[in-house]
Amino acid sequence: MKHTFILLLGAMLSLQGQAQDKQMQFQNTIKVEAGDSHADIIAKAAHVVPSPNQLAALQNEFIAFIHFGPNSFTRLEWGSGKEDPKVFDLKELDTDQWCEAMKAAGMKMVILTVKHHDGFVLWQSRYTKHGIMSTGFRDGKGDILKDLSESCRKYGLKLGVYLSPADLYHIENPEGLYGNLSPYTKRTIPREVPGRPFANKTRFEFVVDDYNEYFLNQLFEILTEYGPIHEVWFDGAHPKRKGGQTY
């Protein structure tokens, strides 16, 4: 009789669990309530599934992250923002070799640091001269992001970018925009620059200050002129505080 009771109880619990499973939907997030039992939490965890973007990220499996900039020549982890751009003394660049090696290793994507906290940019931005355009590399005409984008397409790799919200160049430069206490006003992104029109005619309006406008203008450049861009990385670093700047 005792064994029969245990079997019956087990069957009832199993049926109850199946009924709960049928009621519970698969979702990206499921809230754990204060009164949930251990079994409730396990059941909820079993119904959490990744979003399409999260699943795509998991399927990338093995990716490269390249941090290349003035730090490569000064041997510092972080730049100061005061570096002369010419310290970036690049002589040759072969992004095909990079991508060929990454592809052979089984990588599916590469993320390039196009601007770290020092503010130095690796593409031909309209909005600053603190970058590769002020170096001797290819007489100031070089564009590492462009080269890498073309190589990624050639070798079938996805491309991502890291764009630092913090910018020590704009903090240290007397004419810098970071923390300049400019008012927040409605502005159109991207800001037009004479002689450098955008092929992409999409426009956005944001209420921002000078530095955030600068950052959004550069983000627009990257996402519309070097694509497809599969992933964008930011971080929350504040190497120096100035003027109560937020981003």
Side-chain angles (χ1 to χ4, degrees), residues 163-174:
L163 185 66
S164 169
D167 193 314
L168 283 161
Y169 172 75
H170 272 279
I171 289 176
E172 301 292 358
N173 190 302

Side-chain angles (χ1 to χ4, degrees), residues 59-229:
Q59 290 171 334
N60 284 329
E61 296 175 345
F62 183 30
I63 69 174
F65 200 115
I66 297 176
H67 186 168
F68 187 39
N71 316 44
S72 306
F73 298 89
T74 61
R75 303 177 71 180
L76 298 173
E77 182 179 358
W78 279 21
S80 67
K82 300 178 182 179
E83 294 87 358
D84 183 334
K86 289 182 172 52
V87 75
F88 188 80
D89 192 22
L90 184 63
K91 302 299 185 187
E92 298 179 3
L93 179 69
D94 187 353
T95 54
D96 274 3
Q97 186 273 327
W98 294 5
C99 290
E100 184 180 15
M102 289 184 282
K103 188 74 173 181
M107 295 181 178
K108 296 183 180 178
M109 181 166 70
V110 53
I111 295 174
L112 176 67
T113 302
V114 294
K115 185 189 86 163
H116 200 238
H117 309 324
D118 52 34
F120 184 95
V121 304
L122 296 185
W123 78 98
Q124 291 288 334
S125 176
R126 296 161 175 77
Y127 302 102
T128 186
K129 292 298 182 185
H130 190 68
I132 199 164
M133 68 288 291
S134 298
T135 73
F137 178 58
R138 296 178 184 167
D139 297 322
K141 305 297 184 184
D143 192 320
I144 294 174
L145 181 56
K146 182 174 183 291
D147 281 18
L148 182 58
S149 176
E150 291 173 354
S151 295
C152 282
R153 285 195 290 272
K154 181 176 178 179
Y155 286 91
L157 292 171
K158 296 178 182 178
L159 175 62
V161 296
Y162 169 110
L163 185 66
S164 169
D167 193 314
L168 283 161
Y169 172 75
H170 272 279
I171 289 176
E172 301 292 358
N173 190 302
E175 298 179 359
L177 303 177
Y178 194 105
N180 69 353
L181 303 178
S182 56
Y184 278 70
T185 57
K186 184 181 288 187
R187 311 187 190 200
T188 300
I189 305 298
R191 177 171 55 81
E192 298 296 338
V193 174
R196 295 284 304 275
F198 285 96
N200 188 309
K201 300 305 179 184
T202 307
R203 296 295 179 265
F204 301 92
E205 286 193 342
F206 293 104
V207 176
V208 289
D209 63 355
D210 289 350
Y211 179 73
N212 283 296
E213 179 191 358
Y214 170 78
F215 186 84
L216 290 170
N217 283 329
Q218 291 194 322
L219 186 60
F220 187 92
E221 287 182 314
I222 290 168
L223 294 180
T224 62
E225 298 189 322
Y226 295 91
I229 302 294

Side-chain angles (χ1 to χ4, degrees), residues 24-30 47-50:
M24 195 178 301
Q25 301 296 315
F26 289 100
Q27 302 174 60
N28 300 140
T29 59
I30 302 175
H47 285 77
V48 173
V49 294

